[in-house]
Amino acid sequence: MENKKTLKVNAAVCDVRNITEELLSACEEVKINAAGIITSPAAQALLSRYGARLNCANTVILEENARFSTVNGPLSITAGQAVPEEKLFLVANGPVDIEAGCEAVLKGYAGMIINGPVTCPASIAGLLRAFSINGPVQVYPDGAIVLKKSAVLDRFFHLRTRQDAVYYAASRIVALSPDIDFGRLAEKNVRFVTRKLLVSESLAEAAVPLFDEKTDIVILPDGCAYVDDDAELNGALLKRYGGKLYINGRLTIGPDAAAVLDQVSCLQINGNLRVCRSLKDRVLEMDLTYDRLHVVGGVLICDRPALEVTASLLSDAEDGVSILDCANVTIAEDVTPELLKEQLVSITDSIVFCANGEQMSVIQALARDCSVSCLTDADEDGEDAPEDEDTVKINAAFYAF
């Protein structure tokens, strides 16, 4: 008698419209795990008849001849785009910006799944109810002029503005240049819509009345610089921007920052703060704002596809070691549990293989968002356990039968 197998599909999106009765009858069981499933009435009836198990967040019913398309990354839908001539279902994995005047284009789609944030004018927002959106929707007034998501104003901005115009920035507007003329902007009846305003103290009184009442106002000292990226606190950063800083990203304070910390008079971080353990107490005494504090080693190892942690690597690091976002981390046999406790400060977002159970106990106590296993646990003979021969697994971002 034929030994039937279990079919298991794991996908972000799975199109089951063309699944066949021959496939289903040949399987002992069919399991589909997906964020979105594209199906049809005929496919639904067939899957139900054979007891297929579907686990999904969204189900979209399409005709068999509808075309399917996936976009990975940012997507802009503009008024000048042609209306799809054929029925098209779109999956967008990333941020989507929709311009005004796109009503006909949006209605031309058979459907959409958007896995990311959406930005659109108010007149478009109602049409989005027909789509599945897994992310925030940011709506701005019709007729507004759209700036960059983080818009930095300069002293020439008032020369380019239009009379009675509304300007929109999805994330924030930065107004720190001392030469920005908010008086001239008020005379032109200019208004701003944004989530957050970063403004110098001397400009705040003139600037705030031009912003929507829902705007979060952050007043910074005069001379404060805006850094729109992850950064490391060191002499080069202070030489370029000075000692008053607003960091829009993650800031790392390593051992080399000890010589320049006294030059910092203002430090606000719109993100997480990484501090080496030797400077933790000193940094905590400063008047800082940040999202979360992570204590790390003086040696920071990130984004490696593979890493072997040896006794010499740990013992040579004066201020310890931290490991972040490394795909496969192997702890060498010569690393003692005592050395791990003393020198490994943190390990996050990695797959960790330990040489023995003693190492594994220490790693499990330190690890955050890690998969931790012991190489000696594969089996007593040191060979990997066999895979389930009765299950066929398919893992894909998009899979169609």
Side-chain angles (χ1 to χ4, degrees), residues 126-314:
L127 296 177
L128 301 182
R129 298 190 189 98
F131 306 140
S132 175
I133 300 174
N134 303 309
V137 177
Q138 298 177 344
V139 178
Y140 58 86
D142 287 291
I145 299 171
V146 180
L147 304 173
K148 292 182 179 179
K149 292 185 177 180
S150 292
V152 180
L153 307 188
D154 57 28
R155 62 193 181 97
F156 301 110
F157 184 77
H158 72 274
L159 300 176
R160 305 191 299 272
T161 54
R162 304 176 188 175
Q163 183 71 32
D164 302 321
V166 176
Y167 289 87
Y168 171 77
S171 296
R172 64 187 58 82
I173 288 178
V174 181
L176 299 178
S177 173
D179 300 321
I180 300 173
D181 194 341
F182 281 105
R184 292 287 299 277
L185 293 173
E187 291 174 2
K188 298 172 76 170
N189 195 33
V190 169
R191 295 293 181 267
F192 297 92
V193 177
T194 190
R195 291 171 56 191
K196 180 179 290 187
L197 167 65
L198 307 178
V199 62
S200 297
E201 187 173 3
S202 61
L203 298 176
E205 187 174 351
V208 168
L210 307 187
F211 284 77
D212 183 272
E213 64 275 6
K214 296 179 182 179
T215 303
D216 180 18
I217 308 295
V218 179
I219 298 178
L220 299 172
D222 289 350
C224 187
Y226 175 75
V227 182
D228 192 20
D229 202 354
D230 295 342
E232 180 176 357
L233 187 65
N234 52 33
L237 185 73
L238 297 187
K239 184 177 181 180
R240 180 176 180 182
Y241 293 105
K244 300 176 182 179
L245 298 166
Y246 183 98
I247 309 293
N248 186 42
R250 181 181 59 235
L251 180 68
T252 300
I253 300 180
D256 295 341
V260 299
L261 277 177
D262 291 338
Q263 301 176 35
V264 178
S265 59
C266 174
L267 183 56
Q268 293 196 31
I269 305 152
N270 184 41
N272 294 336
L273 174 62
R274 291 177 179 171
V275 181
C276 66
R277 62 180 178 181
S278 61
L279 293 178
K280 174 188 173 184
D281 293 339
R282 187 174 170 187
V283 168
L284 289 177
E285 293 175 355
M286 301 172 65
D287 184 19
L288 308 182
T289 61
Y290 48 83
D291 292 343
R292 293 180 62 185
L293 175 68
H294 299 293
V295 179
V296 297
V299 175
L300 194 58
I301 305 175
C302 307
D303 303 313
R304 298 275 188 90
L307 172 69
E308 183 181 26
V309 178
T310 62
S312 61
L313 172 66
L314 293 171

Side-chain angles (χ1 to χ4, degrees), residues 12 32 77 96 105 127 213 221 255-256 259 286 347 399 401:
I32 300 174
I77 300 177
V96 176
V105 176
L127 296 177
E213 64 275 6
D256 295 341
M286 301 172 65
I347 181 167
Y399 183 76
F401 285 93

